């Protein structure tokens, strides 16, 4: 194929050159991370860690992953200019990394496919996953359908209500959705429930975690798999604007799309990294989910990290309009990036995110996930203070189709009234 | 070196070991009931512990409530949640221990809890305060690798109990037994806590392996044990049996029934 | 960028070499096509035809279209192997052309972006569109948001009920949804209503039709814009399986995804072309929408084509479980392909499509649109009678997220009972 | 060559032209009411036409119902739908014309309809049957380019009326006027049929342009005309005024009122 005269100068394929072992495999991220798990999980976690250490540097595994990325997920996802959003912000040029175009509608599939391939490599025929927004559940159900693996997804019953379409999608894909009726009936309870299910049969099942959280090796593995976002974005930015972005922005729930976006830029000292955390009603209220801005060091779900907790070390209930950010912890690598100052984390309220969601719809014809709208708000805010020759790159982690009923409810003021 | 032979009553790891030794000497497996601290109320919990001891408990395991008890089944999670809703805290648990000790309860008291509340309290401060409140040992299932906890415990004379499971290798059992002071906890099954209907072969196999590897450290078995039959079946193979969810469930319904059940369980502890 | 050792042999970019004027601009397709329109529309239709004749061969226009295809729509969409679907069929190798991965979830955006660019070129600031499944409405609302054009979408009130999420999406994107309460309250009534709105202001508005139907130049223009599907698929097939497919399959509503898939293969004599029409309850019942299998020559919405009509020339009410196929006519180029025998059209019932939908979910982890599921059924049926060294390429025109409530209702037997 | 001067009554294009000529001679604009064939019923429709003529109609325009009347507004679409629901067909429309003619109605009758039902009937057969039933002319808005229709019409002596709009160029008006036999239809506004509240400047402008270009072919104006005031305003500028939706709406409510309205409209047709 010869390149056509008027095609824009983009790389042949921004996924080229991607490696799963580009960054070190770490159990500890400074004081964070680790394996704070009951003994019963130690053999399984160890086996997964060994398998991942092996797979991440196996060219055949990478080839299979990259092949599914290209042909099944639709990677590379575009990096696009956002001229109307840029004028709305009135400052730096904003670029959008379009994870919303990935198969199933969010970045979660990058991880689910990779881990499902690992589960297959381990010979496991049954997968357990948790889900908040349902995106990871759908991604896992999808990966399992593709590879012919059984799948059970644990989901808080509150999330089942607010993300109903994703429940239907999981069931269509042949997965079993296991409702979790405890605690706040959201993501954190689903994680606990999934881990307990894994504990019941750590040999026969594979726990396919949905974010860069939990015990070793999950934070590293999920990061490795999500780094495809940042790798592509970096290549694409150089091709599109002939420079690295001045600032990179992503939303932070457990922190997988953000860690995958950030890490390939960490060595680029001039590139600022900014995470948008869910501030719910505001971090000065009890209703938020900003683990870094509002949390303290602690242990949850197997990792030492930043955690929303009371003085007695009890994990606090969280609130965010976005189910996918509604989690009291955060991936340990973010805790380290925050501690060292390499990345900065900003709380974004429900209202700010919902406004940003509408702005992106109207200016660029993209309905983002409510999670991603948090990042859009932050990107617009940052861009508005920068000069027009600076570049702000923001990851649109997912599309908003799953959120339509939440959006309607918000607009009708129901979510606001329920406060 | 049993409690009976010392003049000031032994505490900490020593007292725990003594309790297992005494049971062994009496050709019994030690009975270790588990209750959630603060259930069914603060004063009621103090009474309950006192009466469980009167009914035959050799060691008391007190659960320190945590909001995300990863390895626990529904029964314990629910009781835990109620205790937290009633305001139970780590400091509150130590108050309960103090109150129990004030009632002249002399059996070892072991706290079982997740690590985060202990980190929030501060490991050193917690071990010091626990020891002075009358706690003898700690079980922290999600912090087996935490050297700082082991140091702080031993600096305060507290026993530390590690857990082994049917999936643990010989070498791993040996390592954890070495790290355990007081006793080693054999988790009867994979899976979260919760009453089971039978005793699995894997459990007996684990106990054989654990006792062989533990080199004299007492091995107590727990998870899923509910009936006198279970206890009788396991007694010959274990230095102690821990009864958790089955008892917690009774406590939640009717504390008197729980006490009666401990009496029945105690009657089944004869090892020969 | 150098190509990585383990990357599969795919072209650099299957969109390269695409041209909007690769096929002749025709007002007539044999006896079909034409401009059967009221005089009031003649100037506007003529102006659009001239503008398109110009734009289709303007390298700058193509460059802008291709740029938005790449960066906004996410093209090229993958052509993927479907090994588990292939074994399910037990015959020819099935390849899936993944239009479900296009931004907004269906091929409709290829056309909407192109026509919105044309509307902008014409200096028009307001766009009118009709929609059935809502996909074209969402695509048009999206293109208009991106380009800053006002947008009114006409939609049958029956379709508004069965495709509610898409209504919300359009509104979020800033479009006005105009309910049409006449006739069967489906696509055909929406087209009529949109045309009437256009008639009211043919100078100030642009009618952005959603399929390869209607008066000249729409059938040609929509085809030109959708040929990106077939162009890519052809390049990708050569790269992936080293041959052209033996058969190419697509679903046919108005016929845009199918004409775009077929036309780049028309000159390849060995390649069979198969269209799946919506047979509803069956073409031997009155409840279907198979215009070619069950219709006769007639004039609707400005074109002479195959049409479901009674002996008196009255257009018949149609039925399909898929709103996007629920249309009594078909693009005139299909009428010609059918008449000359170059393509073959097959009725696929609601029940066959819904079964195929579940099969694709479970075997490949893809929830197709119900429209696309018609094509999947046909592809599986064709593949099952072919040998394993033959290749059947099928276009998955869209994703099924918009159809979740119809799918639930079908599974619960409600749609069946309503017969 | 007017109807008045021939011995057998003229038909077809000739009769249409004669009617316009007669009105012009009487210093009136011809009044052309439009009704949907088959409304408000088959027999009632025949009566209605008879009475409209009695009330002053110079020409009758009968709508042939079609399921997808692209260029019609709500009022006509609804009436059309009801006619179809009652079983109206193309053949049924011709029956109505026959019945009207049997009542000695002599004014020109023009059918207005969409092309598809005519194609289904067969263009040649339709024109022949229409002519013999007593139809004089055809208006088929979505088939202005259809040469075969023009040929079939003229072969059967039927008039063909083309439509021009405010958007039509001079050249286009001339072309369509040439193709029109009987009269040229000036569409008063862009937009579908339907009553409007006023007469637009663009309408008057179009009429001036159309009459100049039409080279003697009568020009009738329609779309949106509803009141005697409209008629009076337009009369000096047009050879005929067509009243559609406003009348159809009355017919649907109360046929007598429609007849009365035609009387009022007729009174407003004086051109000088
Ligand atoms: C679209 C989307 N974005 C972001 C998130 C947050 O997860 P993470 O922080 O792991 O990227 C989710 C979680 O479900 C999501 O669905
Ligand atoms: C996903 C999808 N496929 C197919 C169609 C049918 O349209 P066409 O035949 O023009 O491709 C539609 C129409 O809405 C659609 O949404």
């Amino acid at each position: 194929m010869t390149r056509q005269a008027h095609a824009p100068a983009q790389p042949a394929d921004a996924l080229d050159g991607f490696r799963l072992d580009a960054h070190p495999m770490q159990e500890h991220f400074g004081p964070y991370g680790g394996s704070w798990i009951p003994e019963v999980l130690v053999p399984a976690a160890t086996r997964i860690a060994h398998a991942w250490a092996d797979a991440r540097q196996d060219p055949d595994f990478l080839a299979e992953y990259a092949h599914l990325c290209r042909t099944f997920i639709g990677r590379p996802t575009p990096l696009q200019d956002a001229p109307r959003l840029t004028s709305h912000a009135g400052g730096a040029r904003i670029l959008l990394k379009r994870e919303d175009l990935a198969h199933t509608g969010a970045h979660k599939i990058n991880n689910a496919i990779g881990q499902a391939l690992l589960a297959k490599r381990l010979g496991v025929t049954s997968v357990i996953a948790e889900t908040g927004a349902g995106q990871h559940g759908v991604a896992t159900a999808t990966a399992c359908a593709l590879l012919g693996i059984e799948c059970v997804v644990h989901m808080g019953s509150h999330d089942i209500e607010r993300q109903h379409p994703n429940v239907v999608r999981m069931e269509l894909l042949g997965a079993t959705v296991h409702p979790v009726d405890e605690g706040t009936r959201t993501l954190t309870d689903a994680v606990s429930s999934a881990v307990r299910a894994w504990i019941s049969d750590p040999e026969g099942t594979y726990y396919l975690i949905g974010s860069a959280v939990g015990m070793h090796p999950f934070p590293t593995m999920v990061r490795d798999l999500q780094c495809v976002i940042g790798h592509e974005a970096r290549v694409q930015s150089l091709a599109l604007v002939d420079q690295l972005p001045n600032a990179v922005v992503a939303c932070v729930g457990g922190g997988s799309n953000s860690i995958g976006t950030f890490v390939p830029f960490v060595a680029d000292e001039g590139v600022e990294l900014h995470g948008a955390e869910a501030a719910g009603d505001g971090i000065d209220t009890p209703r938020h989910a900003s683990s870094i801005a509002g949390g303290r060091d602690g242990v949850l779900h197997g990792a030492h990290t930043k955690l929303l907790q009371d003085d007695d070390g009890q994990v606090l209930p969280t609130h965010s309009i976005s189910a996918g950010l509604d989690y009291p912890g955060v991936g340990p690598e973010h805790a380290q990036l925050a501690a060292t100052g390499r990345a900065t984390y900003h709380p974004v309220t429900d209202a700010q995110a919902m406004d940003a969601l509408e702005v992106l719809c109207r200016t660029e014809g993209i309905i983002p996930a409510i999670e991603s709208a948090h990042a859009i708000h932050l990107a617009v805010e940052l861009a508005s203070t920068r000069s027009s020759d600076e570049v702000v790159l923001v990851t649109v982690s997912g599309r908003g189709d799953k959120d339509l009923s939440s959006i309607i409810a918000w607009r009708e003021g129901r979510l606001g009234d329920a406060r | 070196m049993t409690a009976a032979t010392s003049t000031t009553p032994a505490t900490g790891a020593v007292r725990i070991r003594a309790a297992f030794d005494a049971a062994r000497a009496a050709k019994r497996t030690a009975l270790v009931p588990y209750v959630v601290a603060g259930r069914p109320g603060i004063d009621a919990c103090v009474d309950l512990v006192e009466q469980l001891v009167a009914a035959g408990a050799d060691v008391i395991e007190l659960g320190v409530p945590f909001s995300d008890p990863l390895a626990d089944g529904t029964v314990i999670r629910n009781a835990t949640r109620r205790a937290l809703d009633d305001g139970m805290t780590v400091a509150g648990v130590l108050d309960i221990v103090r109150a129990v000790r004030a009632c002249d309860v002399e059996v070892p008291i072991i706290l079982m809890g997740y690590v985060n509340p202990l980190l929030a309290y501060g490991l050193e401060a917690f071990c010091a305060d626990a020891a002075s409140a009358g706690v003898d040992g700690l079980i922290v299932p999600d912090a087996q690798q935490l050297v700082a906890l082991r140091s702080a415990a031993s600096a305060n004379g507290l026993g530390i109990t590690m857990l082994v499971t049917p999936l643990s290798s010989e070498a791993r059992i040996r390592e954890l037994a070495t790290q355990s002071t007081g006793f080693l906890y054999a988790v009867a099954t994979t899976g979260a806590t919760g009453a089971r209907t039978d005793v699995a072969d894997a459990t007996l196999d684990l106990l054989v392996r654990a006792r062989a590897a533990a080199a004299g450290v007492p091995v107590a078995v727990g998870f899923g044990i509910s009936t006198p039959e279970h206890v009788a079946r396991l007694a010959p193979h274990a230095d102690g049996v821990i009864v958790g969810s089955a008892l917690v469930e009774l406590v939640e319904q009717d504390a008197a029934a729980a006490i009666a059940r401990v009496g029945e369980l105690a009657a089944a502890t004869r090892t020969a």
Side-chain angles (χ1 to χ4, degrees), chain A, chain B:
Chain A
M1 296 294 308
T2 53
R3 184 153 281 279
Q4 166 197 335
H6 297 276
Q10 287 230 359
D13 181 337
L15 182 55
D16 283 352
F18 175 67
R19 287 171 51 183
L20 288 165
D21 61 351
H23 306 283
M25 181 148 176
Q26 295 168 266
E27 178 165 357
H28 298 281
F29 303 91
Y32 301 106
S35 301
W36 304 72
I37 49 174
E39 187 63 19
V40 64
L41 290 179
V42 169
T46 306
R47 200 172 54 254
I48 293 174
H50 286 148
W52 183 245
D54 198 54
R56 72 201 292 273
Q57 55 188 9
D58 175 351
D60 291 336
F61 186 86
L62 174 64
E64 196 167 358
Y65 176 69
H67 177 74
L68 290 179
C69 277
R70 284 194 172 84
T71 64
F72 184 65
I73 300 180
R75 307 207 69 87
T77 58
L79 181 72
Q80 92 168 63
D81 246 315
R84 282 165 41 84
L85 184 66
T86 296
S87 359
H88 171 86
R93 179 167 174 183
I94 302 178
L95 306 181
L96 308 176
K97 178 61 177 163
R98 298 287 308 278
E99 292 302 300
D100 62 301
L101 291 178
H103 181 46
T104 70
H107 69 290
K108 296 281 179 189
I109 191 76
N110 303 328
N111 168 50
I113 288 285
Q115 286 200 58
L117 285 174
L118 189 71
K120 204 148 192 189
R121 190 177 170 102
L122 283 163
V124 168
T125 55
S126 172
V127 153
I128 297 161
E130 86 292 336
T131 198
Q135 285 304 118
H136 174 58
V138 169
T140 305
T142 295
C144 288
L146 180 74
L147 301 177
I149 305 176
E150 206 179 277
C151 176
V152 180
V153 180
H154 294 244
M155 187 169 187
S157 51
H158 179 51
D159 289 338
I160 287 180
E161 286 154 27
R162 60 179 164 169
Q163 308 281 338
H164 189 68
N166 274 342
V167 175
V168 178
R169 292 167 80 199
M170 287 183 261
E171 289 174 348
L172 270 174
L173 292 160
T176 305
V177 178
H178 180 92
V180 180
D181 248 329
E182 303 193 26
T184 52
R185 303 181 294 123
T186 57
L187 181 53
T188 184
D189 313 291
V191 174
S192 301
S193 173
V195 172
R196 277 193 301 276
W198 185 34
I199 288 176
S200 301
D201 184 10
E203 309 291 291
T205 59
Y206 180 92
Y207 174 40
L208 205 160
I209 204 164
S211 192
V213 299
M215 65 286 304
H216 181 70
F218 290 122
T220 307
M221 178 160 52
V222 175
R223 178 206 64 195
D224 290 345
L225 291 163
Q226 293 293 5
C227 273
V228 70
I229 304 173
H231 171 85
E232 289 177 4
R234 199 174 175 285
V235 171
Q236 290 167 321
S237 175
L238 289 171
L240 183 67
V241 297
D242 265 327
Q243 64 163 87
L244 291 178
N246 301 83
V248 166
V249 181
C251 68
V252 184
S256 67
N257 88 82
S258 44
I259 206 73
T261 302
F262 290 175
V263 164
F265 290 100
V266 160
D268 301 312
E269 284 177 22
V271 179
E272 298 168 29
L273 307 175
H274 295 276
E277 292 195 298
D281 291 352
I283 53 164
D284 45 354
T285 76
R287 287 171 50 84
H288 71 86
S290 299
S291 331
I292 295 177
R296 286 180 293 112
D297 290 1
V299 169
L300 182 68
H301 296 144
H304 190 229
T305 187
K306 288 287 177 188
L307 184 58
L308 291 176
Q309 52 183 317
D310 66 15
D311 290 341
D312 201 45
Q314 306 299 342
V315 180
L316 288 169
T318 55
H319 162 75
S320 169
I321 188 173
S322 61
L325 304 183
D326 206 350
Y327 181 69
V330 66
E333 196 163 3
H334 284 291
Q336 186 190 30
L337 288 173
T340 61
R342 180 63 189 93
T344 319
Y345 296 82
H346 311 254
V348 175
T349 64
D350 287 355
Q352 289 171 328
M354 295 310 280
D355 286 349
L357 186 144
E358 295 212 8
V359 166
L360 190 65
C361 289
R362 305 259 168 142
T363 56
E364 296 293 339
I366 298 169
I367 307 177
I370 299 180
E371 288 80 5
S372 318
H374 288 73
I376 299 297
H377 168 83
L378 180 57
V380 167
E381 199 172 80
L382 288 170
S384 71
T385 64
R386 310 291 171 105
S387 81
S388 64
D389 43 57
E390 291 199 43
V391 172
V392 172
L393 185 158
V394 54
T395 295
V396 182
S397 56
R399 64 183 187 228
D401 299 31
K402 67 179 178 62
D403 292 317
L404 292 176
S405 58
S406 299
I407 295 169
I408 298 168
W410 173 267
R411 294 173 126 204
E412 290 174 355
R414 274 195 266 135
L415 289 184
D417 293 349
R419 275 175 212 171
Chain B
M1 200 189 79
T2 61
T5 63
S6 63
T7 45
T8 50
T11 59
V14 178
R15 172 150 62 182
I16 298 167
R17 184 62 183 264
F20 282 99
D21 288 348
R24 186 183 293 171
K27 296 212 177 335
R28 288 174 47 246
T29 192
L31 179 64
V32 187
Y34 168 100
V35 291
V36 174
R39 293 302 303 161
I42 293 180
D43 294 341
C45 183
V46 175
D47 287 352
L48 175 67
V49 170
E50 204 183 347
Q51 295 186 276
L52 294 177
V53 172
D58 296 293
V59 177
I60 292 290
E61 191 179 331
L62 258 189
V64 182
F66 178 52
S67 49
D68 282 69
L70 205 61
D72 284 303
T74 313
V75 169
I76 294 180
R77 286 206 308 283
N78 287 343
T80 288
R81 169 62 31 219
R82 287 188 205 111
L84 288 173
D85 288 347
D86 286 351
M88 186 46 50
T89 60
V90 174
V93 175
L94 299 186
D95 288 341
I96 288 175
V97 175
R98 267 182 218 103
V100 168
R101 289 300 182 206
C103 303
D104 291 330
V105 168
E106 293 294 336
V107 302
I109 297 178
I110 293 171
L111 299 189
M112 171 152 184
Y114 293 82
V115 73
N116 199 55
L118 312 191
L119 291 173
Y121 196 104
L123 291 183
E124 313 265 331
F126 171 74
C127 288
D129 291 356
S132 80
V135 171
D136 300 299
L138 303 176
I139 308 176
V140 189
D142 58 349
Q144 305 225 110
Q145 85 291 11
L146 187 60
V147 179
L149 176 63
R150 288 206 295 275
S151 321
S154 83
N156 290 282
L158 293 177
I160 274 275
T161 283
M162 299 292 173
L163 296 95
V164 297
T165 81
L167 303 174
S168 304
S169 67
E170 240 63 60
R172 181 73 177 153
I173 296 175
R174 212 169 302 123
E175 182 189 358
L176 292 169
T178 309
Q179 293 171 2
S180 298
T181 51
F183 75 102
L184 181 69
Y185 193 138
V187 173
T189 58
T190 59
T193 57
R196 303 277 190 298
T197 50
D198 59 350
V199 171
D201 287 347
T203 306
L204 300 178
D205 174 63
L206 169 64
L207 288 173
V208 170
R209 294 196 299 128
R211 275 184 146 181
V217 176
V219 175
V221 60
F223 276 50
I225 301 168
S226 58
T227 63
E229 292 69 39
H230 290 164
V231 173
R233 178 91 196 280
L234 288 166
H237 305 282
D239 303 304
V241 291
I242 303 160
V243 182
S245 298
L247 214 57
V248 171
E249 191 160 22
L250 281 179
V251 169
E252 294 302 307
Q253 289 159 10
D254 170 8
I259 295 157
R261 171 66 60 87
V262 166
E264 292 157 31
L265 296 169
T269 55
R270 230 164 309 265
T271 55

